[in-house]
Amino acid sequence: MSLLEAEGLEAFYGGSQALFGASLRIEEGETLALMGRNGMGKTTTIRAVMGLNPPRRGRVSFGGRDLQGLSAPQRARLGLGLVPEGRRCFPNLTVRENLLVAARPEGWSLARVEALFPRLGERREQMAATLSGGEQQMLAIGRALTTGPRLLILDEATEGLAPLVRQDIWTAIRSLKAEGLAILAVDKTLSEILGAADRCVILERGATVFEGPPEAVTPEIQKRWLGL
């Protein structure tokens, strides 16, 4: 039984259909790269999995439990931890307050988050609004970890960040992977995401068109489905 299974998802924004049968699965401890060109349904798939944009058709299960009818907070309590695109830290709270606001007893402690991201420890009492983009991304990941996720979902984990900061984020992701945390990652840095992934799923116009190991994402596949 897979940790997460999403089958045949069809989702809409108003009258416009965005997903046309998207499917993916993630095993315990596995890192899955969700790939595709801009506008192909990656974020919508994540929103469907999280219950933020429930699919009209299809099925999502987590740990063997059907998630139909469960809200996003209920899904989070089951162990789905989302780091959304755009970070969405609470700007008028300190780093420490951001980390504690959603913390759960089974989640990561403040000390453990700061060990993963030492910069957050250095800026513990600093307002989130004053952090750099990379520091805010670290904070968003740390906040998700304090909820104790079984699956960490990263939507554009390094978008818009400087190369050195991207390296820090990917180092942290590889560390989480080594600890056995299951990860679903969306990112535009192809070399990094392929280097971290166990399997890849590619979406095209809201449908799954490829599933396989990173080494199967050949230049031909990249050109056909990723526009590279």
Side-chain angles (χ1 to χ4, degrees):
M1 180 182 66
S2 299
L3 176 62
L4 176 75
E5 295 183 4
E7 300 176 356
L9 301 183
E10 297 184 15
F12 294 74
Y13 292 104
S16 299
Q17 188 167 357
L19 295 183
F20 295 82
S23 298
L24 58 85
R25 61 180 172 83
I26 302 174
E27 308 299 330
E28 292 275 5
E30 183 179 43
T31 296
L32 178 74
L34 182 59
M35 307 168 73
R37 293 174 293 180
N38 288 342
M40 292 298 127
K42 302 185 296 297
T43 294
T44 304
T45 298
I46 289 173
R47 289 178 59 83
V49 166
M50 287 300 304
L52 296 168
N53 185 16
R56 293 190 189 176
R57 300 180 188 87
R59 169 181 167 271
V60 179
S61 65
F62 184 67
R65 177 173 177 175
D66 192 334
L67 300 185
Q68 176 69 28
L70 296 186
S71 67
Q74 289 172 318
R75 297 180 191 212
R77 285 193 287 271
L78 290 177
L80 287 165
L82 173 64
V83 180
E85 184 177 13
R87 300 152 197 151
R88 301 185 189 177
C89 300
F90 298 106
N92 296 324
L93 297 182
T94 66
V95 168
R96 180 177 181 276
E97 289 167 340
N98 266 274
L99 292 173
L100 294 178
V101 70
R104 303 180 66 205
E106 64 271 27
W108 281 40
S109 67
L110 189 64
R112 191 177 178 192
V113 171
E114 291 175 352
L116 182 68
F117 295 119
R119 291 194 199 186
L120 299 182
E122 297 167 3
R123 291 155 176 74
R124 184 185 298 178
E125 302 306 325
Q126 194 169 320
M127 291 294 181
T130 67
L131 301 178
S132 69
E135 290 164 349
Q136 289 186 21
Q137 186 62 48
M138 294 174 187
L139 181 55
I141 295 172
R143 184 179 58 193
L145 292 172
T146 66
T147 68
R150 296 177 62 192
L151 171 64
L152 183 66
I153 302 175
L154 301 161
D155 192 0
E156 299 291 0
T158 66
E159 184 177 23
L161 302 183
L164 287 177
V165 179
R166 287 205 304 268
Q167 290 179 20
D168 289 343
I169 298 293
W170 281 110
T171 296
I173 292 171
R174 288 190 290 271
S175 176
L176 295 171
K177 173 182 171 65
E179 291 189 22
L181 180 62
I183 299 170
L184 170 60
V186 172
D187 200 89
K188 293 185 177 68
T189 54
L190 190 63
S191 61
E192 293 286 6
I193 199 167
L194 289 178
D198 298 302
R199 282 189 307 108
C200 304
V201 165
I202 298 177
L203 298 182
E204 173 73 11
R205 297 181 182 178
T208 299
V209 294
F210 172 90
E211 180 180 355
E215 57 269 24
V217 185
T218 61
E220 292 76 14
I221 293 291
Q222 294 176 29
K223 182 177 180 180
R224 180 177 184 184
W225 301 119
L226 303 177
L228 300 174

